[in-house]
Amino acid sequence: MTNAAATAGLGRDSIVGVVGAGAMGAGIAQVAAAAGHRVLMFDALEGAAARGRARIRAGLEGLVGRGRLAREDADSLLERIVVAETLEALSGAALVIEAIVEALEIKRDLIGRLEAIVTPAAILATNTSSISVTAIARGAQRPERIVGMHFFNPAPIMKLVEIVSGVATAPVIAERVFATAEAWGKVAVHARSTPGFIVNRVARAYYAEPLRLYEEQVATPTTIDALMTEGAGFRMGPFALMDLIGHDVNYAVSTSIFDAYYQEPRFRPSVAQRELVDAGRLGQKSGRGVYDYAEGAAGEAPSTEPVCADAALIDEFALGGDRLVDGVRIALTDGRTAGKAALGGTPTIFHDLSAAEGATRLGFAASPDVPRSVIDRFVATLAAQGRMATRLPDWPGLVAMRTVAMLANEGFEAVLQGVATEDGVDSAMRFGVNYPRGPIDWARHIGLPHVLGVIDNLHDQIRDPRYRASLGLRMAASATLQDLQA
């Protein structure tokens, strides 16, 4: 196969095989058919492929009913999806994507059976989200044609596809699958086969830091979720998201990655989450997780500081940088407590990280020597700008900054280890889990030296090795300083 042929992607006349007709397999089949391919869908469970096709039909009918898809387009898409009665029916497929149970030996067995059926030029892709592509390809006759093609659920809606190369995957194969995914309207990113790939690895911090803050009694889950959504711009707060995913699933992924990285402290699972699992409070699917989903259950409001109506506003106040107000320093948190920062003699208010646009909440903490009058002025000024204020205990890194800094730290570590490029990490997190901004891009926007300082100060105050700064972040921050000094 030439490089030109590899980068072109599959032609529309190429047949795509899908093995597994569950929610993910059926979704992948729909994506391939929507791109114009004839799709052969097989499932070892009798009747499962037909049921998968019926679910696709029902979904398409819904789109037609809402005016989002023309009737003729829905009909032609469905016609291109054919139920395969046997695995051997996939013999003419140019690409076969397996979306079966997450079990290494079962996947290996399937790959072996497929190799005896398909042509030597066919590509075999696995949709695994957690198993090493290298391990799946072990023992294959042609491991160079085996590649990860990790879709996110629901596949027809979620934009990201991680193209995962194992040790033996041929680069031309990875490039061809990458181009195919892009031709299917997806955002494709290359990743090396390491535990968690990109998204499930980098995203650990989005759960781990809020869980730890909850364990440390810094704030309630409702308040933390509000700071991350209303303040930092994430679509879902970490606790609401864990309730949606299921704490059993989320905890299992965290434990798997922790073990796969030989108990690396950055991936340490949460005792609080294990307690939820042990109690059967798995989230929405069990009716209760962090939040209670019973009908009529009362929700808790996030902590919000009252506004003093007669407090004088701070003229021309803007977040970012340092500002002195009545002898009090107001600044973005640098990872220290405000009390520690105030040891130099200047009372300090540290505020949390805020989304650039549309933020309606901001967390802050104050050193003990800050007068109440300045806090009132600060809160009233935020209110005048459309932001509610949440006062937090004087804690290292606060909430949003601590979480985003750790997301960026893990992103730089993934780049350092050759798992992905910076752009790959940012695209994966934006389109795989809908982050408002790629964590590396966000860190560069804040300022890499500042983000590095947050991580270093967290490590200095907490003394937990999970807060070791990545060498990749440290080197990038150093390069930034050199550029500024040049």
Side-chain angles (χ1 to χ4, degrees), residues 185-471:
K186 298 300 183 181
V187 174
V189 295
H190 283 294
R192 187 164 59 82
S193 182
T194 52
F197 309 145
I198 304 171
V199 172
N200 280 328
R201 171 187 178 158
V202 175
R204 289 306 97 202
Y206 191 66
Y207 313 116
E209 291 312 307
L211 280 164
R212 179 153 180 169
L213 287 163
Y214 169 60
E215 290 172 346
E216 294 168 350
Q217 304 183 72
V218 173
T220 65
T222 302
T223 296
I224 292 172
D225 276 359
L227 288 168
M228 296 304 294
T229 55
E230 300 168 16
F234 288 85
R235 291 193 183 182
M236 287 190 74
F239 291 100
L241 182 55
M242 285 184 281
D243 270 6
L244 177 64
I245 294 168
H247 289 278
D248 52 341
V249 174
N250 191 266
Y251 180 74
V253 173
S254 294
T255 302
S256 174
I257 291 177
F258 180 61
D259 290 340
Y261 280 102
Y262 305 104
Q263 289 72 53
E264 165 56 53
R266 294 193 312 278
F267 304 121
R268 187 187 305 122
S270 163
V271 172
Q273 188 171 46
R274 186 185 65 197
E275 285 287 286
L276 288 170
V277 174
D278 289 346
R281 296 186 177 185
L282 306 182
Q284 291 187 18
K285 62 186 175 184
S286 69
R288 188 165 185 179
V290 170
Y291 300 116
D292 189 346
Y293 296 93
E295 186 176 352
E300 176 189 331
S303 174
T304 302
E305 195 75 358
V307 179
C308 181
D310 58 356
L313 300 183
I314 302 171
D315 294 335
E316 299 180 0
F317 180 79
L319 298 176
D322 283 19
R323 177 76 182 269
L324 277 177
V325 176
D326 296 344
V328 175
R329 178 192 176 210
I330 302 176
L332 175 64
T333 176
D334 63 8
R336 295 178 296 173
T337 62
K340 185 169 185 178
L343 291 178
T346 304
T348 299
I349 293 175
F350 273 152
H351 65 75
D352 211 348
L353 186 63
S354 173
E357 297 178 2
T360 58
R361 182 176 298 275
L362 186 71
F364 75 97
S367 60
D369 51 354
V370 174
R372 180 69 226 188
S373 60
V374 178
I375 292 175
D376 287 343
R377 292 188 66 188
F378 177 69
V379 171
T381 302
L382 292 178
Q385 296 176 346
R387 288 186 174 94
M388 293 173 283
T390 292
R391 186 169 185 177
L392 296 165
D394 191 12
W395 216 253
L398 300 181
V399 174
M401 174 59 87
R402 177 164 159 175
T403 302
V404 170
M406 290 298 285
L407 286 167
N409 194 52
E410 196 57 46
F412 274 105
E413 186 71 6
V415 173
L416 180 71
Q417 295 175 355
V419 175
T421 63
E422 288 191 15
D423 286 344
V425 168
D426 283 340
S427 293
M429 304 315 292
R430 286 182 58 218
F431 295 103
V433 278
N434 291 318
Y435 284 5
R437 196 166 190 157
I440 293 179
D441 172 60
W442 207 342
R444 289 191 179 279
H445 176 75
I446 297 166
L448 294 185
H450 189 96
V451 173
L452 175 62
V454 169
I455 300 290
D456 281 344
N457 284 328
L458 284 168
H459 185 265
D460 179 60
Q461 292 209 221
I462 302 174
R463 300 291 181 176
D464 186 330
R466 77 189 289 164
Y467 299 109
R468 303 183 325 275
S470 166
L471 179 60

Side-chain angles (χ1 to χ4, degrees), residues 106-255:
I106 296 176
K107 288 182 185 291
R108 273 184 183 161
D109 177 70
L110 174 61
I111 293 295
R113 294 173 62 196
L114 285 169
E115 283 200 306
I117 294 169
V118 299
T119 68
I123 298 170
L124 302 179
T126 172
N127 183 57
T128 182
S129 61
S130 60
I131 301 175
S132 164
V133 174
T134 298
I136 291 172
R138 182 179 176 182
Q141 296 174 15
R142 297 190 60 192
E144 70 277 3
R145 63 170 168 176
I146 299 171
V147 64
M149 199 174 187
H150 180 210
F151 290 79
F152 288 73
N153 195 31
I157 296 174
M158 297 300 290
K159 297 290 288 183
L160 184 72
V161 181
E162 291 177 315
I163 309 303
V164 186
S165 293
V167 168
T169 304
V172 292
I173 295 295
E175 290 295 343
R176 189 171 193 197
V177 173
F178 183 98
T180 298
E182 287 195 323
W184 291 0
K186 298 300 183 181
V187 174
V189 295
H190 283 294
R192 187 164 59 82
S193 182
T194 52
F197 309 145
I198 304 171
V199 172
N200 280 328
R201 171 187 178 158
V202 175
R204 289 306 97 202
Y206 191 66
Y207 313 116
E209 291 312 307
L211 280 164
R212 179 153 180 169
L213 287 163
Y214 169 60
E215 290 172 346
E216 294 168 350
Q217 304 183 72
V218 173
T220 65
T222 302
T223 296
I224 292 172
D225 276 359
L227 288 168
M228 296 304 294
T229 55
E230 300 168 16
F234 288 85
R235 291 193 183 182
M236 287 190 74
F239 291 100
L241 182 55
M242 285 184 281
D243 270 6
L244 177 64
I245 294 168
H247 289 278
D248 52 341
V249 174
N250 191 266
Y251 180 74
V253 173
S254 294
T255 302

